Structure formats: C-alpha cells, structure tokens
C-alpha cells in the first residue's frame, strides 16, 4: 500500500511540474514607442507668486488640516506651464491642468490627476496622468492612462524627479515620459 502511495505521489509531481514550469512567464521589458522630457513649473498663489493671480499657476482650494505637519488634506488646482528645459520663462510646449492633494499625515506625499494639453506645432492632443507622488523618493513613477490626438489611447509611465523646490511657493519637476502603447 505504501509503495502505491509513493508511486502516486511521484506521478502527481511529474504531472504538476511541467504545468508549473510552463506557467512562469519571463518578464518582458519593452522599449518605449515615444519618449520625451518636460519640466512642470508650479507657482502657488499666496506663495512666491504672492497674491497676484497673473504670476500664480495654482491655488490651494482647501485649508491644511490640523492632522500632522505635512499639508495633509490640502487640495491644489493647477494650470501649470510645461517646458522642454528647466527655465520657467521658456516657451511652454503644453499646459498641465488638474489637481493634487496631500494624502499622508506623517510625511510629504501627494496624489496627482491631470491632463497635459499640447497645442503646438510639434504635438496636438492630450495625455492623462495620475498616481501617487511619494516626494521623498528620488524618482517616482505615475501612470499615463490615456490620451487624444497625437497621443490617442497612449499608455506609459511619467517618471517624476524634483528639479527644484522653493518652500511652499514654487517647485519644478522633471518629467521623463515614456509611452509603451502608441497608435
């Protein structure tokens, strides 16, 4: 009886092993079909932009809560210029329009949802980007979840890297955008 049980286990293992090995997929790393770098410039109303709406590109629409010291609960709406280089006064190639809110009580962390609106001779259309910006990390990946025009149904990653930060009033992000689905 014991010999039959051992043979049964061996046969069972032989049957299961190939199916387990066959189900393991190798990770494929695709090359992006389109890649470019842009700089996001945010000037908060009441910060370095002062109370001048002409100079400001964003505004807090909620007050910071008393739950921690990291702007928890603050919601910011923005219409920020996107440039090809890190100079604020360079000609914008797109506008970033959307919002972010601070969503962590114990550290600086934000969640972004916005659309890059392109209307230049180089690109026309939009890219929709959203995800968590864990600000204390050197680089952060947000999802590109769609697009229109030149970016119709695009999918990919926007890698954020803080280029400069000047208190609550101004920050600049370097965005390395890699699209893996292009039509």
């Amino acid at each position: 009886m014991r010999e039959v049980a051992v043979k049964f286990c061996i046969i069972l293992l032989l049957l299961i092993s190939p199916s387990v090995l066959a189900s393991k997929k190798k990770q494929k790393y695709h090359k992006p079909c389109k890649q470019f770098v842009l700089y996001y410039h945010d000037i908060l109303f009441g910060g370095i932009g002062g109370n001048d709406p002409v100079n400001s590109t964003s505004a807090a629409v909620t007050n910071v809560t008393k739950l921690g010291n990291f702007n928890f609960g603050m919601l910011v709406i923005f219409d920020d210029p996107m440039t090809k280089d890190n100079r604020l006064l360079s000609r914008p190639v797109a506008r970033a329009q959307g919002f972010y809110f601070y969503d962590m009580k114990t550290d600086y962390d934000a969640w972004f949802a916005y659309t890059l609106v392109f209307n230049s001779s180089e690109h026309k259309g939009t890219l929709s980007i959203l995800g968590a910006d864990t600000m204390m990390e050197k680089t952060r990946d947000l999802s590109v979840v769609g697009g229109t025009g030149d970016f119709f149904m695009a999918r990919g990653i926007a890698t954020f890297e803080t280029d400069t930060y000047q208190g609550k009033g101004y920050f600049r992000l370097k965005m390395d955008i890699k699209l893996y689905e292009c039509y």
Side-chain angles (χ1 to χ4, degrees), residues 41-43 57 81 83 85-92 170 172:
H41 303 270
D42 187 79
I43 304 170
T57 61
T83 61
D85 59 33
N86 65 359
R87 294 189 314 264
L88 173 62
L89 299 178
S90 292
R91 184 179 63 81
Y170 174 76
R172 180 176 56 236

Side-chain angles (χ1 to χ4, degrees), residues 70-74 101-105 107 109-111 132-133:
F70 299 96
N71 294 339
F72 180 74
M74 186 167 102
F101 56 88
Y102 293 93
D103 61 349
M104 191 174 203
K105 294 190 299 185
D107 207 348
D109 193 39
W111 195 86
D133 180 8

Side-chain angles (χ1 to χ4, degrees), residues 108-152:
Y108 285 105
D109 193 39
W111 195 86
F112 276 79
Y114 65 99
T115 301
L116 291 180
V117 180
F118 293 86
N119 191 13
S120 67
S121 58
E122 191 172 349
H123 295 294
K124 296 217 183 297
T126 64
L127 277 176
S128 298
I129 300 172
L130 58 90
D133 180 8
T134 50
M135 294 182 219
M136 295 301 122
E137 300 294 323
K138 180 173 172 39
T139 62
R140 295 84 72 190
D141 290 333
L142 279 72
S143 300
V144 176
V145 296
T148 64
D150 293 346
F151 306 104
F152 179 71

Side-chain angles (χ1 to χ4, degrees), residues 40 42 44 58 74-78 80 98-102 110-113 135 168 171:
Y40 169 100
D42 187 79
L44 187 62
S58 64
M74 186 167 102
L75 172 66
V76 176
I77 306 295
F78 59 85
D80 291 333
F99 65 90
Y100 60 89
F101 56 88
Y102 293 93
W111 195 86
F112 276 79
M135 294 182 219
K168 292 183 178 181
F171 67 90

Side-chain angles (χ1 to χ4, degrees), residues 7 15 17 19 78 89 104 133 180:
K7 285 182 183 178
L15 290 173
S17 294
S19 65
F78 59 85
L89 299 178
M104 191 174 203
D133 180 8
Y180 294 94

